Amino acid sequence: MSQRNGTTNAGWNLENSYAGLSTPFFTKLELNPVSEAKLIFLNRSLATSLGLNVEELESEDGVDVLAGNQVPEGSVPIAQAYAGHQFGNFTMLGDGRALLIGEQVTPDGKRFDLQLKGSGRTPYSRGGDGRAALGPMLREYIISEAMYALDIPTNRSLAVVTTGEPVIRETNQPGAVLTRVASSHIRVGTFEYASQLGTVEDLQVLADYTLQRHYPDFDGAENRYHFLLQEVIKRQAELVAKWNLVGFIHGVMNTDNMAISGESIDFGPCAFMNTYDPSTVFSSIDVQGRYAYGNQPYIAGWNLARFAETLLPLLHDNQEEAVKLAQEEISGFSKLYLNHWLVGMRGKLGIFNEQEDDKSLIEDLLTIMQKYRADYTNTFIALTFDKAKGTELFESDEFAKWNERWQTRLNKQQLSNAAAHELMRNSNPAVIPRNHRVEDALEAVVERGDYSVMGQLLDILSKPYAHTSAQADFAEPPADLDENYQTFCGT
Ligand code: AMP
Ligand code: MG
């Protein structure tokens, strides 16, 4: 294995706490070098915040690290084992095309996994080639950075390099490696793996590690594993509420794609909704609509029940008591979700305080949005900027009646209309990564080697609450409203 970078000033400050666990939850890896590594996108501000030196990352040694041709000094490269319920069915999985370089400890003491996605075969590759195509890696880069800018907990993207090697999909595609930055890659599926394949001691090691890494306040808890369950449920409730508030559809909410940290992870077939419709699905493989927009909170609850099951041996010595504790927490999820969603929706409508009939006010707006096939994001933008006119929705009697109720509701609060509009500006994104814009950006890079379209899109998406005139163009839904748009996974 090649280790050279420690001699430079690249800023690597790697630890390998996960690789140090005495559990069977990972495999140490050899590198799978690529023939011609070329850096095509580097997230400079993220690099700097990680304590990494941009010029060094751009140098030959730096690019070699980002391509998996060498690892920095201090790295113990591993692939993580995990299992998962995929569309409801339990399967053994693991990092089949990813390599964890290690954990970068930042100048302000934070710890982030650095993972190369598309870095070659691992013991968990099953039939796969371990590689990734350029388009999907760019897609993950755009979406993850857009999510971050939308203030949604998420993995981030540090860089994309091309490998100079083709990957064979339906057609030959340029190969690429994405460097992903995450609070950790521990998934619900990691716990499922531990509970199926490990001993109770192994499970406990994983749970204790997770607590220390993500929930350091556990020290005061009477029952630390109960605390872990509660906290994971809380973070997922908030996360999925935030997804739904911006119209984000993850597309493949298998338990292996749900991170225990509460970050969004694995942006395969994800996409943003245009027209408001809870049954919206873009993923080509989701024939039943299991992961449709409106199902996301239910699926999150289902996944968390699988998580709770893995913790049963740790929750209580008496398994009946353990089941009772788990059930209590799981049944509280929908209320937690609803509370987060209501807080967010009130913000989108400029409402500061709480009233009981807010829920029906919000739901009634959504109902008429659905009836008139209104664009989800742009309806809220029109309300924010007093431009609610000229569309079928805004000219309807239903909307006129709803608008009266909304105005009455706004007048019931102490704060001024100006304050309400300020709240709306900060709660309603001017832009989301519209699917056709994302596709244009990918096509420009992959087909023409033109990086400017993606560069401009990243720039526009980086400040969704700025409401600049340059964003207006990017706010338009596609002419066909993505009627036939499909996304693909594992590509
Ligand atoms: P995903 O759909 O990206 O969440 O991946 C599901 C599972 O398939 C994970 O275990 C991946 O590591 C694995 N996988 C996806 N693509 C490949 C590939 N090209 N080679 C090997 N494993 C893969
Ligand atoms: Mg995955």
Side-chain angles (χ1 to χ4, degrees):
M1 192 166 302
S2 165
Q3 285 200 340
R4 277 188 290 147
N5 255 268
T7 53
T8 71
N9 295 318
W12 301 111
N13 185 24
L14 291 172
E15 293 188 3
N16 307 279
S17 64
Y18 195 84
L21 294 179
S22 56
T23 59
F25 305 153
F26 60 88
T27 307
K28 291 190 180 165
L29 290 182
E30 294 296 322
L31 301 181
N32 294 302
V34 302
S35 57
E36 210 181 311
K38 184 179 166 215
L39 179 63
I40 62 166
F41 276 96
L42 177 66
N43 192 334
R44 291 161 163 262
S45 60
L46 177 59
T48 306
S49 72
L50 290 167
L52 298 174
N53 179 316
V54 168
E55 283 72 40
E56 296 284 343
L57 277 179
E58 287 171 336
S59 74
E60 208 177 312
D61 269 350
V63 176
D64 265 349
V65 169
L66 298 171
N69 286 353
Q70 61 164 314
V71 286
E73 196 174 287
S75 161
V76 178
I78 61 168
Q80 289 174 312
Y82 52 87
H85 276 84
Q86 297 194 303
F87 291 89
N89 303 309
F90 185 78
T91 326
M92 286 297 164
L93 298 160
D95 291 333
R97 54 163 170 175
L99 173 155
L100 184 65
I101 300 179
E103 300 137 25
Q104 171 77 2
V105 180
T106 67
D108 52 356
K110 297 199 181 105
R111 178 179 299 262
F112 290 100
D113 275 8
L114 297 185
Q115 192 202 58
L116 304 181
K117 191 166 175 180
S119 54
R121 286 182 56 80
T122 79
Y124 311 107
S125 296
R126 301 174 289 164
D129 60 3
R131 292 295 180 191
L134 176 58
M137 295 305 99
L138 296 173
R139 197 158 195 286
E140 173 150 351
Y141 190 114
I142 297 171
I143 304 286
S144 62
E145 287 306 301
M147 296 292 271
Y148 173 76
L150 285 162
D151 198 23
I152 298 176
T154 183
N155 295 175
R156 297 192 63 191
S157 298
L158 179 63
V160 177
V161 297
T162 47
T163 60
E165 295 167 7
V167 295
I168 302 153
R169 299 293 180 256
E170 268 137 44
T171 54
N172 268 11
Q173 302 273 322
V177 176
L178 171 86
T179 306
R180 175 153 87 170
V181 180
S183 292
S184 88
H185 287 83
I186 302 170
R187 305 148 189 266
V188 168
T190 318
F191 278 81
E192 291 182 281
Y193 184 92
S195 115
Q196 290 282 324
L197 265 100
T199 61
V200 175
E201 288 71 40
D202 290 332
L203 180 69
Q204 193 163 3
V205 169
L206 178 65
D208 286 342
Y209 177 84
T210 305
L211 275 162
Q212 245 143 25
R213 185 141 176 200
H214 295 300
Y215 302 94
D217 298 338
F218 73 92
D219 262 353
E222 212 174 288
N223 176 342
R224 55 167 64 184
Y225 307 113
H226 188 195
F227 173 85
L228 175 62
L229 177 59
Q230 287 174 318
E231 295 300 308
V232 171
I233 290 173
K234 273 192 215 160
R235 287 201 197 171
Q236 285 298 330
E238 183 168 4
L239 178 67
V240 179
K242 286 191 164 196
W243 287 357
N244 276 23
L245 286 163
V246 298
F248 173 76
I249 306 167
H250 184 282
V252 61
M253 284 178 73
N254 295 332
T255 54
D256 50 299
N257 293 334
M258 182 181 261
I260 299 293
S261 64
E263 290 179 350
S264 315
I265 185 173
D266 278 1
F267 301 92
C270 66
F272 280 73
M273 177 171 68
N274 297 303
T275 309
Y276 176 76
D277 182 350
S279 70
T280 307
V281 173
F282 291 113
S283 168
S284 60
I285 57 168
D286 192 2
V287 197
Q288 310 273 334
R290 179 181 170 93
Y291 299 136
Y293 170 77
N295 274 356
Q296 296 193 125
Y298 305 105
I299 292 294
W302 191 90
N303 289 351
L304 289 164
R306 304 290 78 74
F307 176 57
E309 282 164 7
T310 71
L311 291 181
L312 289 178
L314 305 179
L315 278 175
H316 205 286
D317 289 340
N318 175 334
Q319 284 304 280
E320 264 175 44
E321 289 299 319
V323 169
K324 228 161 85 189
L325 281 179
Q327 275 171 346
E328 250 172 52
E329 296 308 332
I330 293 299
S331 62
F333 172 80
S334 51
K335 196 161 171 216
L336 287 173
Y337 169 82
L338 182 63
N339 282 343
H340 283 295
W341 184 78
L342 283 174
V343 167
M345 275 294 175
R346 284 193 184 97
K348 288 171 86 67
L349 291 175
I351 299 171
F352 288 93
N353 56 355
E354 281 178 33
Q355 278 186 9
E356 225 173 280
D357 49 3
D358 289 344
K359 185 161 174 274
S360 64
L361 182 74
I362 296 160
E363 284 172 347
D364 292 349
L365 173 64
L366 294 175
T367 303
I368 50 175
M369 278 166 68
Q370 187 175 359
K371 176 173 174 190
Y372 290 101
R373 302 188 49 70
D375 185 84
Y376 177 74
T377 306
N378 290 351
T379 298
F380 286 102
I381 287 297
L383 295 177
T384 303
F385 292 98
D386 289 329
K387 288 188 173 147
K389 41 184 109 48
T391 66
E392 223 189 317
L393 166 71
F394 293 138
E395 300 303 325
S396 71
D397 288 346
E398 291 107 311
F399 178 77
K401 284 196 193 113
W402 180 86
N403 196 19
E404 250 175 62
R405 280 165 65 202
W406 179 43
Q407 296 307 327
T408 310
R409 176 67 183 88
L410 288 178
N411 292 335
K412 269 194 213 150
Q413 50 189 13
Q414 302 285 318
L415 286 144
S416 67
N417 239 357
H421 279 82
E422 176 71 19
L423 176 61
M424 292 176 76
R425 267 196 299 279
N426 294 329
S427 309
N428 292 308
V431 283
I432 50 166
R434 298 270 179 188
N435 305 317
H436 63 299
R437 290 289 189 176
V438 174
E439 295 299 332
D440 286 350
L442 304 191
E443 193 188 302
V445 177
V446 177
E447 305 295 332
R448 305 194 297 279
D450 171 1
Y451 306 122
S452 65
V453 183
M454 177 156 154
Q456 189 191 13
L457 182 62
L458 287 170
D459 187 45
I460 291 283
L461 292 172
S462 69
K463 292 190 188 73
Y465 302 104
H467 301 284
T468 62
S469 54
Q471 288 173 325
D473 241 12
F474 288 79
E476 286 305 309
D480 68 354
L481 299 174
D482 286 338
E483 300 270 336
N484 300 312
Y485 183 65
Q486 279 204 317
T487 55
F488 299 90
C489 83
T491 36

